[in-house]
Amino acid sequence: MRTRPLKVALLGCGVVGSEVARIMTTHAEDLAARIGAPVELAGVAVRRPSKVRQGIDPGLITTDATALVKRGDIDVVIEVIGGIEPARTLITTAFEHGASVVSANKALLAEDGATLYAAAEEHGKDLYFEAAVAGAIPLIRPLRESLAGDKVNRVLGIVNGTTNFILDKMDTSGAGYSEALDEATALGYAEADPTADVEGFDAAAKAAILAGIAFHTRVRLDDVYREGLTDVSAADIASAKRMGCTVKLLAICERAADGQSVTARVHPAMIPLSHPLASVREAYNAVFVEAEAAGQLMFYGPGAGGSPTASAVLGDLVAVCRNRLAESTGPGESAYTQLPVSPMGDVVTRYHISLDVADKPGVLAQVATVFAEHGVSIDTVRQQGKDGEASLVVVTHRAPDAALSGTVEALRKLDTVRGVASIMRVEGE
């Protein structure tokens, strides 16, 4: 074993960063044995240096992150500060000064991963980011390495624990959205400002990363269609139950049937209770990967939190340190297919549409005519009426999303349709 330690700089020492530092200290001997050399925490960049950080030598604390990554003797920089800047500049500066990088920054990777990949390649360094998607669940490395010889056609999963917790509580307890969100906040699953989670931004960033790796093409955050769950109602949950389904916020990345394009989307969807994703409860994550040779693979586990995310960071640290000792690098960007990302309107989906209609003869015929005019086939219809008002629930067969959207707009114009109570896609069949 080499006695000279590999030096590590840590950018950020919040929930994840402090846990990374703790594990590096308490598991130092094991990490050294697995790597083939000891690792030394050489500096920790923070914004609030006066804060007490248990187990970390105060002499390692600095507010000058730029100076830390420019030192020249740093082997690996671990970035867990998040956001676009200064993270992007710090990472590219680290590469310029000889360090490899381990990052958990999903927002930056989804927004401008190409810049990071290019900088890593230019300077012959590693960029690893297992912790950016699904916490402790090994997902990035299987896609980049284990399935490198296969053809991945679809990635479908629950990649945000906060939203899964909220929807699970709405399903199991009958709580409304606001009540479930309050419970998630009280338990620490939701941030004080939950927008990134409940509006789907967090899941969309992860979908962009997954789609890019799975399909060997560049997919940015702006390419991902996104809907949050703030409009999901107790009535939607009840309708799903009547269909033998539950509602989940899904990230779905697909290769087109002709192989000439890809899609990436995040939105609430009804999935059958028989589907394995339906049983994913609380704040857990689960992702299905469908590959041509390997078939269906499922990855399941805690998708967030200090310890789970730190586990993924440390796994990357071991891999990068081994590469440093071997004077090699791991996989970089693979975007050789250069496939276009199709708009949501081209995606073929199913819809569950709930309409408030007049309870009188001919309404169903009018509604069915609108569907037919837009080339959308109806799978099932359920109608309940009382005192001149009725609820009409239509579940469609698969059709282009643009045709389904056009159908809904045409339905709104019918005199007999009082309103569209809810619209939700149906997946997992």
Side-chain angles (χ1 to χ4, degrees), residues 32 35 57 79 94 104 110 174 179 193 196 212 221 252 324 334 343 346 367 372 379 395:
I35 292 169
D57 180 356
E79 182 271 312
E179 297 170 272
D193 180 1
L221 181 59
I252 305 169
R324 296 281 290 196
S334 177
D346 293 345
V367 169
D379 183 14
V395 179

Side-chain angles (χ1 to χ4, degrees), residues 9-21 44-47 77-83 87 90-91 101-106 131-132 306 309-310 312-314:
L10 178 61
L11 308 183
C13 196
V15 174
V16 175
S18 59
E19 190 65 9
V20 168
V44 182
V46 300
R47 286 183 294 180
V77 169
I78 298 176
E79 182 271 312
V80 288
I81 58 178
L90 290 170
I91 290 173
V101 173
V102 173
S103 176
N105 196 331
K106 54 186 171 286
T309 306
V313 170
L314 268 296

Side-chain angles (χ1 to χ4, degrees), residues 70-396:
K70 282 184 173 181
R71 273 178 38 171
D73 64 337
I74 300 298
D75 294 288
V76 183
V77 169
I78 298 176
E79 182 271 312
V80 288
I81 58 178
I84 307 301
E85 288 292 355
R88 173 170 47 200
T89 299
L90 290 170
I91 290 173
T92 55
T93 301
F95 290 137
E96 291 167 3
H97 287 79
S100 290
V101 173
V102 173
S103 176
N105 196 331
K106 54 186 171 286
L108 176 55
L109 286 158
E111 179 68 28
D112 197 17
T115 294
L116 305 187
Y117 277 124
E121 182 177 3
E122 178 185 354
H123 298 285
K125 298 297 179 279
D126 274 324
L127 173 64
Y128 275 54
F129 47 88
E130 185 67 63
V133 181
I137 304 172
L139 184 58
I140 300 299
R141 196 167 299 146
L143 284 172
R144 291 175 92 183
E145 300 178 30
S146 303
L147 295 173
D150 208 339
K151 180 181 180 182
V152 176
N153 292 315
R154 194 170 193 237
V155 180
L156 166 74
I158 299 164
V159 295
N160 182 276
T162 301
T163 53
N164 198 58
F165 180 89
I166 291 170
L167 290 171
D168 183 43
K169 290 303 174 184
M170 292 176 70
D171 181 74
T172 57
S173 70
Y177 167 75
S178 296
E179 297 170 272
L181 174 59
D182 288 344
E183 184 175 354
T185 303
L187 292 172
Y189 293 130
E191 301 287 346
D193 180 1
T195 303
D197 293 321
V198 300
E199 294 293 354
F201 290 102
D202 175 85
K206 295 170 182 175
I209 295 169
L210 291 174
I213 297 171
F215 307 133
H216 304 278
T217 197
R218 285 183 178 169
V219 180
R220 298 179 69 249
L221 181 59
D222 290 345
D223 296 322
V224 182
Y225 174 84
R226 175 192 55 80
E227 288 180 21
L229 55 74
T230 53
D231 290 333
V232 177
S233 66
D236 293 325
I237 302 294
S239 293
K241 285 186 174 181
R242 284 193 291 270
M243 288 179 59
C245 294
T246 190
V247 178
K248 298 292 185 182
L249 186 77
L250 298 180
I252 305 169
C253 311
E254 295 178 305
R255 190 190 299 268
D258 63 5
Q260 300 305 303
S261 64
V262 300
T263 59
R265 51 195 166 104
V266 168
H267 55 72
M270 296 181 179
I271 58 173
L273 294 176
S274 58
H275 195 285
L277 289 178
S279 62
V280 178
R281 301 295 186 189
E282 300 284 331
Y284 277 75
N285 286 190
V287 178
F288 262 89
V289 176
E290 298 177 9
E292 199 166 86
Q296 287 191 340
L297 307 172
M298 182 173 176
F299 301 83
Y300 170 83
S307 294
T309 306
S311 171
V313 170
L314 268 296
D316 279 351
L317 176 64
V318 170
V320 170
C321 285
R322 286 171 175 170
N323 290 344
R324 296 281 290 196
L325 293 179
E327 298 183 349
S328 65
T329 57
E333 183 182 31
S334 177
Y336 71 92
T337 63
Q338 299 181 351
L339 295 173
V341 182
S342 296
M344 186 63 190
D346 293 345
V347 175
V348 177
T349 63
R350 298 179 66 203
Y351 265 33
H352 173 282
I353 305 170
S354 179
L355 305 170
D356 295 326
V357 300
D359 187 16
K360 62 182 184 181
V363 173
L364 182 56
Q366 286 185 325
V367 169
T369 297
V370 170
F371 277 89
E373 288 173 347
H374 287 80
V376 178
S377 176
I378 294 175
D379 183 14
T380 62
V381 177
R382 185 178 70 253
Q383 184 174 4
Q384 292 179 323
K386 185 178 181 182
D387 298 329
E389 298 295 330
S391 174
L392 186 65
V393 177
V394 179
V395 179
T396 73

